[in-house]
Amino acid sequence: MTRDAPPRAYDCRIVADPVTFLLVSFRRTPVWKAVASGRMRAGGRRPWLAARLGRLVAGP
C-alpha cells in the first residue's frame, strides 16, 4: 500500500462477522452456512472469488 496510489477497484470484497470469518477461514464451518445465515456476504466485480477463502488462509 502506498500513500499516493490512486484508488483501486477491488475484485472481491467480503463483509463478514469477525467470529464467522475466523470459523470459515479455519474450516470449522462451511461457507454456505455463513452466507445462508446472513453473517457473510461477498460483492464487487468478481464475488465468486470469495469461495477460495479457505484455501488462502493458513490454518493452525
Side-chain angles (χ1 to χ4, degrees), residues 1-56:
M1 177 158 86
T2 61
R3 184 178 218 185
D4 298 323
R8 297 178 60 189
Y10 295 100
D11 287 336
C12 179
R13 173 179 238 163
I14 298 172
V15 179
D17 174 57
V19 174
T20 305
F21 182 80
L22 285 175
L23 289 172
V24 169
S25 62
F26 290 144
R27 298 179 190 99
R28 302 291 186 212
T29 189
V31 175
W32 67 265
K33 192 173 184 180
V35 171
S37 65
R39 296 178 190 255
M40 179 180 269
R41 62 185 167 99
R45 293 185 300 172
R46 300 184 335 182
W48 58 87
L49 293 177
R52 300 186 335 182
L53 175 67
R55 288 181 265 154
L56 297 175

